[in-house]
Amino acid sequence: MPTHRRLSAGLAGLLSLLILMFAPPALAQQQADAGGEPAYGSLADLLEDEASRNALIEELRGLEAARTDQAPGVEGAAPPAEIAAQAPSDQRPEQVSFARRMAATTGHLAANMGDQFAALGAAVGGLLGGGEAAAEGADLAPVDLQEAGAAAVNLAILVIATFVVFFVLRAVARPSFRALSGWALRGSEKLAMLRTIVAVAVAAFVDVVVVALAYLAGGFVSSLLVNEVNADATRLALFLNAFLVVELFKAGLRMLFSSGYEGLRLVPVAADQARYCNRFLANLAGFIGYGMLVLVPVLNFNLSPALGSGVGTVIMLLALIFAVAVILKKRTVLRDRLFARAEQSSGPGRVLLRLLGRLWHVLALAYAVLVFAVTVVDPEAALPFVAVATLLTVVYAGLGLLISVVLSQLIGKEIRLSDRLNAAMPRLQARVNTYVPTGLKIIRALLLVLVAVLVLDAWDLYDLAAWYASEAGGRTVSAIVDVLVILAVAALVWIGLASLLEHKLSPKEDADPAAAARAETLMGLFHTTLAIAIIIMTSMIVLSEIGIDIAPLIAGAGVLGLAVGFGAQKLVQDVITGVFIQLENAMNTGDFVSAGGNSGTVERVGIRSVAMRDLAGTYHIVPFSAVGAVSNYTREFGNHVGEYGIAYRESIDDAIVQLEAAFEELKEGPLKDNILAPMTVAGVSALADSSVNIRVVIKASPGMQWAVGRAYNRLVKKYFDQAGIEIPFPHTTLYFGEDRDGSAPAANVRVLGDSRVVDTQDGGR
């Protein structure tokens, strides 16, 4: 209800109350002049009395106090006096229970509907009864049938001319709509939504231009009718304004549910579903729009406000019945579609879709009943508010959904990098395709929260502007933005540094398994260290940004780190030494090494220790802190260093010839691929007690020097035997002594098992 009407009603009620309370009975029964108006002179006499005037002042103050106790900003609320009349006398209006206030509001709605239907019945009865007496009894203005017929003809001419121009312009614009739809459907799928948005925007502009031109054409026809036949300009303007509002609303519907052009449809539904939704909403909008914006004002002005109000109630009631019937008819269809969409989703989205599928018809019915109720109770104030709030809700939800779909299509199902980049950073593509969907889910969640907040603000359930203007609101928004930026930067730093580590440590395609194992070990170590560092730093910065003092956390972490450092010195030494050993590539899996007093084949290289297995099969685990030096026998190449002894009586040169002959046969044997260079004869390395030692060196593949040495030793024995070169073995010399002239006594040697016995003392017999 407008302010001036509420003020007039309040003054009239106050005037009546004063007359009934303070005027004497005889004065209350007096009548004014023949017009039947109140005796204002008697009221002036009443105000001249000091006692009556003071009582009036007190009464006014009481009414002001009761008015301020009413909830502010609620249009159509029951007056405090009504609420107080329904509550105990010692209860203030704001203390009335919610159930009682709801009952009062429902009763007020029922009373309004009853009054409007009664007035409508009286007006219809007056029209059907005919005559001035019937019209006056029904509070109807006299109707001039000739004038009404002329007005109807003028309005019909305007309606027909406007819609003819509109349909002709729509037919002219149809090829452009078809071309835009075809363009939106062509091209890559990744940019399909962007093309659709551009095409829909251009089509909407063309649609609005068509509506505007039809409106201007109608305005031209209206001016002709006003000038030529003296038609009522206001009545014609009512239709033109209604045409503009309704057709612009239908243009918006065509943006969402374009049934004839698939490429110009923003809502992803089939053509038959889009056609049904468009037809239902367009018919409902046309029925309500033209009825409430044309028929009701004409009846209000030309016949009776009661008749117009009653017709408006009937229009909204019929629209409510139609909407309820369609909602109940399509309840299971839309529920099944939402359930099917939920099966394709996961996480909170799936839960929300299933919940919406079960409750969508309840929400739609509640909204329809709400619109009908506010139309009946307070159409002048509440109905525009509901319309604006509904429009804002649709806009916010549509924009949120549109942005979400655009982001999904821009990013695509999978991001593919170039082959060169994948070769240098093999895990970058997988990492990007892991974090980008996560970021997309966060953006969608934030969009959902933002849409919910904006919708609450549109329905005046939450004052977003006032909250943002407050200190807490500004600080909260700033903290949220800062935290999102920090998380995004942390993710970029992690992706960049982790990819750089992969680029530096990834083995080549032709690398051996040992090098690949070393690279995997180092990447795991550095990835873990980098992840821990980034997580700790990001957490500290985020906590600081949201207002938590991190100084105690830093101090506590420092003390804890110091305690752990003292208690785990050996462990820290193991890890640090292991890192440097691996950085220097001292050993890899499969190498034969000597470390920490043990020798064997490396089976595992960890962060803290190395595991080896020796020739006897014993498994050794050596911590890196116990490794003073690493001797690796399988790095690049190995040498077989052999020393071969010959008797002193043998020729050294002949022996070297036989050694070289043995090497020539070795080069032709099964180990020829493991010999990397010609044999080197170092020469005589020692004049031993019973042999002359000759040293040779054979360069072999890493780890094969022992096999080459064993094969060469076999060939040396073979060639020395063939050449008759003695490989000396230990000799024992018996000394029998000698006399001064150098002669020695003869030894008495007997050979057992021989028939002859030699006795040197008897002359050898």
Side-chain angles (χ1 to χ4, degrees):
M1 182 181 294
T3 304
H4 67 276
R5 293 181 59 185
R6 292 199 299 268
L7 182 59
S8 302
L11 291 176
L14 177 60
L15 180 61
S16 302
L17 180 63
L18 290 175
I19 293 175
L20 292 175
M21 291 181 59
F22 297 105
L27 182 61
Q29 296 177 2
Q30 288 183 356
Q31 298 296 323
D33 50 11
E37 296 183 359
Y40 292 106
S42 300
L43 179 60
D45 295 337
L46 177 66
L47 294 177
E48 287 180 353
D49 183 64
E50 184 177 357
S52 300
R53 186 170 62 253
N54 292 335
L56 175 60
I57 293 174
E58 293 298 328
E59 182 65 21
L60 290 175
R61 294 189 184 279
L63 291 176
E64 175 64 19
R67 187 186 68 82
T68 56
D69 288 337
Q70 185 181 2
V74 180
E75 295 289 346
E82 293 184 16
I83 298 178
Q86 302 171 29
S89 58
D90 59 344
Q91 200 172 28
R92 296 175 60 85
E94 67 271 12
Q95 294 175 331
V96 179
S97 66
F98 174 77
R100 185 175 292 276
R101 293 198 303 269
M102 181 62 69
T105 303
T106 307
H108 185 52
L109 173 62
N112 278 358
M113 289 185 62
D115 294 342
Q116 291 181 13
F117 281 121
L120 178 61
V124 172
L127 288 175
L128 296 178
E132 294 184 359
E136 291 178 358
D139 194 20
L140 292 172
V143 179
D144 187 349
L145 296 180
Q146 184 177 1
E147 181 181 354
V153 171
N154 294 332
L155 184 59
I157 292 174
L158 177 62
V159 171
I160 294 174
T162 304
F163 275 104
V164 166
V165 173
F166 176 70
F167 289 130
V168 169
L169 292 176
R170 286 280 302 172
V172 172
R174 190 171 293 117
S176 63
F177 294 153
R178 189 180 301 110
L180 288 172
S181 176
W183 175 78
L185 295 176
R186 293 191 299 269
S188 64
E189 183 181 356
K190 191 172 185 179
L191 300 177
M193 198 60 195
L194 284 180
R195 292 195 307 274
T196 301
I197 293 174
V198 174
V200 169
V202 176
F205 175 76
V206 174
D207 220 346
V208 170
V209 170
V210 168
V211 174
L213 291 177
Y215 176 81
L216 293 177
F220 176 74
V221 175
S222 174
S223 65
L224 291 179
L225 292 173
V226 171
N227 294 329
E228 298 297 332
V229 299
N230 199 21
D232 187 0
T234 303
R235 189 180 298 116
L236 300 180
L238 286 174
F239 166 74
L240 289 177
N241 293 336
F243 171 81
L244 185 63
V245 172
V246 172
E247 295 306 324
L248 286 179
F249 179 78
K250 290 182 179 180
L253 289 178
R254 286 190 288 270
M255 293 174 58
L256 299 175
F257 305 104
S258 178
S259 57
Y261 309 102
E262 182 180 358
L264 303 180
R265 189 185 310 144
L266 288 179
V267 179
V269 295
D272 55 343
Q273 301 169 2
R275 187 179 300 106
Y276 185 87
C277 294
N278 193 3
R279 184 172 60 251
F280 163 66
L281 295 175
N283 292 337
L284 196 62
F287 179 71
I288 296 175
Y290 290 113
M292 298 297 292
L293 298 179
V294 179
L295 180 59
V296 171
V298 170
L299 294 176
N300 282 337
F301 184 78
N302 294 281
L303 293 178
S304 169
L307 179 61
S309 178
V311 171
T313 302
V314 171
I315 291 174
M316 295 304 299
L317 182 60
L318 293 177
L320 174 64
I321 295 173
F322 178 54
V324 169
V326 172
I327 291 171
L328 294 179
K329 179 181 178 181
K330 296 297 181 180
R331 178 175 64 88
T332 57
V333 176
L334 187 55
R335 181 196 63 189
D336 295 339
R337 293 187 181 277
L338 290 173
F339 282 177
R341 180 64 63 90
E343 294 298 327
Q344 300 175 0
S345 304
S346 60
R350 181 176 184 178
V351 177
L352 290 176
L353 287 174
R354 293 190 65 85
L355 183 63
L356 183 61
R358 295 183 182 278
L359 299 178
W360 80 267
H361 63 287
V362 178
L363 300 176
L365 291 174
Y367 174 77
V369 173
L370 173 65
V371 173
F372 174 75
V374 299
T375 305
V376 174
V377 174
D378 193 2
E380 296 182 0
L383 186 58
F385 168 76
V386 172
V388 173
T390 302
L391 178 62
L392 291 177
T393 301
V394 173
V395 170
Y396 294 150
L399 287 178
L401 180 62
L402 191 62
I403 294 174
S404 178
V405 174
V406 169
L407 289 176
S408 300
Q409 291 197 351
L410 280 178
I411 295 173
K413 296 182 179 179
E414 183 180 2
I415 298 177
R416 296 188 177 275
L417 303 178
S418 63
D419 295 338
R420 180 180 178 184
L421 196 58
N422 284 328
M425 304 176 185
R427 300 183 185 178
L428 178 59
Q429 180 171 310
R431 187 175 291 112
V432 170
N433 287 313
T434 299
Y435 289 109
V436 167
T438 303
L440 182 59
K441 292 180 181 178
I442 295 175
I443 293 176
R444 286 176 174 171
L446 293 175
L447 282 175
L448 178 62
V449 173
L450 180 61
V451 168
V453 171
L454 291 175
V455 169
L456 293 177
D457 179 68
W459 289 93
D460 280 351
L461 299 176
Y462 181 78
D463 194 347
L464 180 61
W467 175 79
Y468 181 71
S470 64
E471 182 180 356
R475 186 169 58 249
T476 302
V477 173
S478 177
I480 292 175
V481 174
D482 292 344
V483 168
L484 291 177
V485 172
I486 291 169
L487 293 178
V489 171
L492 291 176
V493 169
W494 161 250
I495 292 175
L497 293 181
S499 302
L500 182 62
L501 286 174
E502 294 171 2
H503 177 66
K504 296 296 184 182
L505 298 177
S506 293
K508 304 295 183 181
E509 295 182 356
D510 55 349
D512 56 358
R518 170 179 169 270
E520 290 293 333
T521 303
L522 286 177
M523 280 195 293
L525 173 64
F526 285 118
H527 279 171
T528 303
T529 306
L530 180 62
I532 293 174
I534 291 179
I535 290 174
I536 292 176
M537 292 179 64
T538 304
S539 301
M540 291 294 183
I541 297 174
V542 169
L543 291 176
S544 175
E545 193 61 37
I546 63 177
I548 298 178
D549 187 9
I550 63 173
L553 295 177
I554 295 176
V559 174
L560 180 63
L562 188 62
V564 172
F566 278 115
Q569 294 184 30
K570 207 68 174 177
L571 177 62
V572 174
Q573 183 180 357
D574 290 341
V575 173
I576 294 177
T577 305
V579 169
F580 282 102
I581 286 178
Q582 296 203 38
L583 285 177
E584 294 172 356
N585 197 18
M587 66 179 75
N588 291 316
T589 302
D591 290 351
F592 189 88
V593 300
S594 176
N598 297 279
S599 298
T601 302
V602 177
E603 294 189 356
R604 178 185 58 82
V605 180
I607 299 175
R608 191 195 67 85
S609 62
V610 57
M612 300 182 298
R613 190 178 299 275
D614 60 16
L615 294 177
T618 306
Y619 189 74
H620 302 277
I621 297 179
V622 182
F624 284 124
S625 59
V627 177
V630 177
S631 301
N632 196 325
Y633 297 94
T634 54
R635 184 59 51 85
E636 297 183 2
F637 64 90
N639 287 332
H640 164 65
V641 180
E643 292 193 358
Y644 303 96
I646 60 175
Y648 274 90
R649 67 185 181 185
E650 304 294 344
S651 170
I652 295 175
D653 295 335
D654 293 342
I656 292 175
V657 170
Q658 298 304 320
L659 290 173
E660 291 177 348
F663 178 73
E664 292 298 328
E665 183 176 348
L666 178 66
K667 290 195 301 181
E668 302 299 329
L671 296 177
K672 60 181 179 179
D673 294 333
N674 299 113
I675 300 173
L676 303 180
M679 182 183 68
T680 301
V681 180
V684 177
S685 60
L687 298 175
D689 292 340
S690 57
S691 64
V692 176
N693 296 336
I694 303 174
R695 177 177 296 170
V696 299
V697 178
I698 301 176
K699 188 176 183 180
S701 300
M704 296 301 297
Q705 60 267 35
W706 297 288
V708 170
R710 290 190 293 270
Y712 185 67
N713 289 338
R714 184 184 70 83
L715 293 176
V716 168
K717 175 66 168 64
K718 171 184 174 182
Y719 275 85
F720 275 11
D721 289 344
Q722 291 177 357
I725 298 176
E726 178 185 0
I727 299 177
F729 51 87
H731 291 71
T732 300
T733 302
L734 298 178
Y735 178 67
F736 297 100
E738 58 183 14
D739 52 14
R740 291 181 179 276
D741 57 3
S743 58
N748 187 7
V749 178
R750 291 182 175 82
V751 179
L752 298 178
D754 194 347
S755 58
R756 294 185 307 161
V757 178
V758 179
D759 189 352
T760 57
Q761 293 181 353
D762 296 336
R765 293 177 306 188

